[in-house]
Amino acid sequence: MVMAWADDRDMSVDWSGKRGRLRWSWLLWAIGALAWLMPALAATREGVPIVVERYVTAIGDDDLAALQRGALDARLQAEDPAAVTPPVGRTTWYRVQLVAEWVSPREPVLLITYANDMRVRAYGPPSYGGDEYSIYRADVGTLRTRRVLVVPLPQGWNVGTPLYLRVEAATAVTHQFIVTDRQSAYAAELTQARLDVLWPLL
């Protein structure tokens, strides 16, 4: 005769005593960490709609003038601004354009996440561009970041004025391209710095 024994162990979580206090401390720590990150995370998600396209046709130095004039006939492939992954070992060109007019009185910037492996040269109208940006040398030497790259955009940049990016990547990392204002870009950098601090503790 087979008898079924009922498991009468209490499956509820004991929130009293030493173990309970430990659970409470971990829960409060997690809530505090989220509260610490939420303002910066909310700022990071902000951004205006953009179109990102990758040049399939190879572009050389001789093509730069025509590119900036918008006179270069080259094949483009649409990219997801939230998932841009430059190939490793070769130069890749991107075209970034606004979907709607920039109406903020603040200066627009292009923010690139997880950019610790990238070197970027930005070109716009013929009078703008050519400066190199990386997390080690960014914003003409006035901004140092850890993993978020901030590229200042030309004054008066708006719909119909593409931004061209020459990108060299050391690893196949997926990046997010965000056009936002400079203040929000600094908040995004703060977010990344806080995540870098918290990650080893999680």
Side-chain angles (χ1 to χ4, degrees), residues 4 24 29 34 37 69 87 89 111 115 124 135 147 182 189 192:
W24 276 114
W29 181 88
L34 285 173
L37 283 172
R69 293 196 311 269
L111 184 149
I135 62 169
R147 290 167 67 181
R182 186 176 291 271
E189 168 63 10
Q192 189 61 63

Side-chain angles (χ1 to χ4, degrees), residues 9-128:
R9 289 178 298 177
D10 185 3
M11 301 302 292
S12 63
V13 177
D14 181 12
W15 291 89
S16 62
K18 185 176 181 180
R19 289 186 178 180
R21 286 193 298 272
L22 184 60
R23 292 190 184 100
W24 276 114
S25 66
W26 275 106
L27 179 62
L28 291 174
W29 181 88
I31 293 173
L34 285 173
W36 190 43
L37 283 172
M38 282 307 293
L41 286 171
T44 304
R45 287 194 297 267
E46 293 178 359
V48 297
I50 58 174
V51 174
V52 177
E53 297 166 297
R54 176 174 56 85
Y55 279 91
V56 178
T57 306
I59 296 176
D61 293 338
D62 295 339
D63 300 319
L64 183 56
L67 182 73
Q68 289 184 279
R69 293 196 311 269
L72 182 65
D73 184 17
R75 191 158 64 91
L76 289 156
Q77 179 174 313
E79 297 273 334
D80 181 357
V84 179
T85 309
V88 179
R90 62 186 177 91
T91 300
T92 308
W93 284 85
Y94 294 92
R95 183 172 72 180
V96 180
Q97 298 184 90
L98 286 172
V99 173
E101 298 292 328
W102 177 263
V103 296
S104 172
R106 295 174 176 172
E107 178 187 357
V109 296
L110 172 67
L111 184 149
I112 303 176
T113 61
Y114 300 104
N116 51 307
D117 70 321
M118 297 176 70
R119 288 191 298 131
V120 175
R121 285 191 180 273
Y123 299 88
S127 60
Y128 168 89

Side-chain angles (χ1 to χ4, degrees), residues 152-173:
L153 298 175
Q155 294 293 332
W157 187 64
N158 232 313
V159 173
T161 306
L163 178 73
Y164 303 100
L165 301 177
R166 177 183 176 179
V167 175
E168 295 178 18
T171 57
V173 174

Side-chain angles (χ1 to χ4, degrees), residues 135-148:
I135 62 169
Y136 310 105
R137 175 177 149 186
D139 200 6
V140 196
T142 61
L143 176 64
R144 292 292 184 269
T145 64
R146 298 179 68 184
R147 290 167 67 181
V148 175

